Amino acid sequence: MGYVFDFKEAGSYDAWFDQARNKYSLDLEIKLMMDFLSPEKGQRILDIGCGTGISLEPLLDKGLNLTGLDPSPYMLDLASNRLGNQVDLHRGVAEDLPFDDNAFDGAFFFTSLEFTDRPAKAIEEACRVAKDSVVLCVLNRYAPLNMVRRFKSFFVPNIYAHAHFFSIWELKQILFAILGNVPVRWKTTLQFPFVYGQIAALVENIKIIQKSFLGTLIAMRIKPVPKFRTRPLMLKIKKPKAYSPATGLATRMRS
C-alpha cells in the first residue's frame, strides 16, 4: 500500500506551493509532465496518486475524461474541493487498481510512485489499465536538491523520510523487467533548483539541458505492452459413465 498522507500532511501539501520558489519548481515539473503526456481531446486519463488534485488541474480545460485515485481520504477531500465534479475520484492503492484492463488511454504518476511499497507492481498495474501510454514523474535520487531533502529527513521527520527516490537506471531496470526491452523516452527538469526566475526557466527548457542526469524530477514515458488480469476458468466436469463394451464380431465369436 505504501505511505498514506495524514490530515496534517494533506493540509500542508498545497500550502507548500504558495511559496514563490516552490511554485516555480511546480510549474517546470507540470510543463514537463504535460509534454510527455500529450493528451488529446476525448481521451481517458488516470492520475495514480492524485493527492490534492494539483497535477490534474492543468488537464481540466483539455476536454478529457479524468480520473484520480489516492489512498488518503484527506487528500481526496482537498482534491474534491479543488476539482469539483470535473474529475472522477476514487480511493485506492496503486498496486491494485480498481479498474478494468485498458480502461484508460493514458495513466501517469506525479511524485506518487515514491510512496508505494511495490513500485514495480504499481507500474505493472498502470500498464494493465492504460492502453497507449504511461508517464512516470519521479524524484531523482542523484539530484542535488533531493540529496539535501534526504539528508534533512534523517534529522527532521518529514514526508521525504517515507519516499523512495529513483534514478533513471533504476526505473529502466524496473520497466525492462516488466515489459522487456521497450523504447523509453526520458528528460529531467529543475537542474538549477537554487536559482529561479524567467532566465532560469528559459535555460531549464532547453532540450539538451533536459537530458541531464541530475535534474530534480525525472519524467519517463513508456508504451505499455498489453497485460490482462486472468481469472481461473471454472470447467464443468462430468462423471465418466461406466464402461460398456460395444457389441460386435468378437462378442458374437465368444458366444
Side-chain angles (χ1 to χ4, degrees):
M1 182 176 185
Y3 186 72
V4 180
F5 283 57
D6 62 24
F7 177 78
K8 182 180 178 181
E9 290 164 338
S12 61
Y13 184 83
D14 281 352
W16 190 81
F17 293 110
D18 291 338
Q19 302 176 37
R21 186 185 296 273
N22 298 333
K23 178 66 167 59
Y24 165 80
S25 302
L26 177 65
D27 289 344
L28 286 175
E29 293 167 352
I30 290 290
K31 183 180 185 303
L32 185 59
M33 181 201 79
M34 294 292 288
D35 288 345
F36 271 62
L37 196 59
S38 300
E40 298 180 4
K41 187 175 181 179
Q43 284 188 324
R44 303 157 298 167
I45 304 295
L46 171 65
D47 183 352
I48 304 172
C50 64
T52 64
I54 203 165
S55 50
L56 282 165
E57 203 167 25
L59 298 167
L60 292 180
D61 60 349
K62 305 295 182 182
L64 303 167
N65 296 312
L66 299 173
T67 301
L69 175 136
D70 200 273
S72 170
Y74 309 110
M75 287 287 206
L76 289 174
D77 283 345
L78 295 176
S80 180
N81 292 336
R82 178 194 297 273
L83 306 170
N85 60 0
Q86 299 180 80
V87 177
D88 186 20
L89 297 173
H90 296 260
R91 185 181 179 190
V93 297
E95 296 93 336
D96 187 19
L97 297 176
F99 307 110
D100 291 335
D101 304 331
N102 302 315
F104 301 93
D105 298 291
F108 69 95
F109 298 85
F110 186 79
T111 63
S112 58
L113 189 65
E114 297 87 333
F115 298 96
T116 61
D117 275 342
R118 297 180 294 161
K121 180 60 177 175
I123 294 172
E124 185 176 10
E125 276 288 272
C127 292
R128 179 183 65 80
V129 303
K131 67 182 185 66
D132 293 333
S133 67
V134 173
V135 175
L136 314 176
C137 295
V138 300
L139 297 173
N140 185 0
R141 176 181 301 164
Y142 298 116
L145 178 58
N146 291 334
M147 289 182 178
V148 172
R149 287 168 168 169
R150 292 174 67 192
F151 181 76
K152 285 183 177 180
S153 71
F154 293 127
F155 304 97
V156 181
N158 56 39
I159 61 171
Y160 297 113
H162 308 283
H164 175 85
F165 293 77
F166 293 90
S167 69
I168 293 167
W169 300 276
E170 182 183 5
L171 281 179
K172 283 186 174 181
Q173 285 182 334
I174 293 173
L175 294 174
F176 293 160
I178 297 170
L179 305 172
N181 193 19
V182 295
V184 173
R185 177 183 166 219
W186 65 268
K187 288 183 182 179
T188 67
T189 194
L190 200 57
Q191 320 291 339
F192 315 104
F194 306 107
V195 180
Y196 71 102
Q198 288 186 333
I199 295 177
L202 289 173
V203 175
E204 290 278 5
N205 288 314
I206 296 173
K207 290 183 178 180
I208 193 169
I209 297 293
Q210 292 181 329
K211 295 303 290 183
S212 164
F213 294 101
L214 302 177
T216 304
L217 183 91
I218 302 168
M220 190 171 285
R221 187 177 190 273
I222 56 176
K223 183 172 179 60
V225 173
K227 289 183 176 292
F228 304 93
R229 278 182 174 164
T230 57
R231 297 178 176 85
L233 181 61
M234 303 302 293
L235 297 177
K236 292 183 178 180
I237 302 176
K238 294 182 178 180
K239 186 177 181 180
K241 295 180 178 179
Y243 175 71
S244 177
T247 58
L249 179 61
T251 305
R252 290 197 297 270
M253 290 176 64
R254 287 198 299 269
S255 61

